[in-house]
């Protein structure tokens, strides 16, 4: 095994990941390395982004298949290699508050029954 793989496995064990999760993450990183025929620590953020888009858009992986691959690759770069790439930063989207009842969509009859 390579030094990078051993470091990733040690990091996953330290993080308390289940053996099945560890295997899925290793497989995801192996797929990335095979795609570029290079060690993952030599790849750029743009190359990793391109690979993830390839998996999602060209190969058409379902979310349940894509997510573990993304998470495994993210674990390698964020935890093992300690790279702070915007690719793996959590993106916040504007969403309405769950506590707000949208009154504009209420029918007059429903509005009267709620007011009573």
């Amino acid at each position: 095994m390579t030094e990078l793989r051993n470091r990733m496995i040690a990091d996953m064990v330290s993080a308390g990941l289940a053996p099945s999760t560890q295997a899925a993450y290793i497989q995801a990183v192996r797929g990335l390395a095979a795609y570029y025929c290079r060690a993952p620590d030599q790849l750029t953020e743009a190359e990793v982004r391109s690979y993830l888009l390839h998996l999602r858009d060209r190969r058409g992986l379902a979310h349940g298949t894509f997510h573990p691959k993304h998470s495994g690759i993210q674990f390698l770069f964020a935890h093992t290699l300690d790279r702070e790439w915007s690719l793996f930063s959590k993106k916040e989207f504007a969403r309405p508050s769950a506590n707000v009842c949208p009154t504009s969509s209420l029918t007059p009859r429903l509005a009267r029954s709620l007011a009573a």
Side-chain angles (χ1 to χ4, degrees):
M1 278 194 263
T2 66
E3 180 186 338
L4 180 60
R5 181 177 174 160
N6 287 334
R7 282 179 40 212
M8 184 175 175
I9 291 170
D11 289 343
M12 289 189 293
V13 169
S14 296
L17 298 180
S20 59
T21 302
Q22 293 177 32
Y25 283 13
I26 291 294
Q27 182 182 11
V29 173
R30 186 183 303 128
L32 173 67
Y35 184 78
Y36 284 108
C37 298
R38 292 199 328 253
D41 58 345
Q42 297 174 358
L43 299 175
T44 66
E45 182 177 8
E47 289 171 321
V48 174
R49 182 186 315 272
S50 176
Y51 176 72
L52 291 171
L53 290 174
H54 164 77
L55 292 178
R56 190 191 69 189
D57 298 336
R58 292 194 192 126
R59 289 205 29 214
L61 295 185
H63 180 76
T65 305
F66 175 80
H67 185 71
K69 293 183 183 304
H70 179 274
S71 297
I73 293 168
Q74 179 178 358
F75 187 91
L76 171 71
F77 286 98
H79 295 279
T80 303
L81 297 175
D82 200 29
R83 296 189 186 164
E84 295 182 20
W85 287 351
S86 63
L87 173 63
F88 299 123
S89 65
K90 187 157 180 116
K91 293 163 181 67
E92 293 295 325
F93 297 98
R95 48 187 113 120
S97 172
N99 298 330
V100 177
C101 179
T103 56
S104 62
S105 64
L106 295 178
T107 63
R109 182 176 176 189
L110 182 58
R112 283 194 304 272
S113 67
L114 290 175

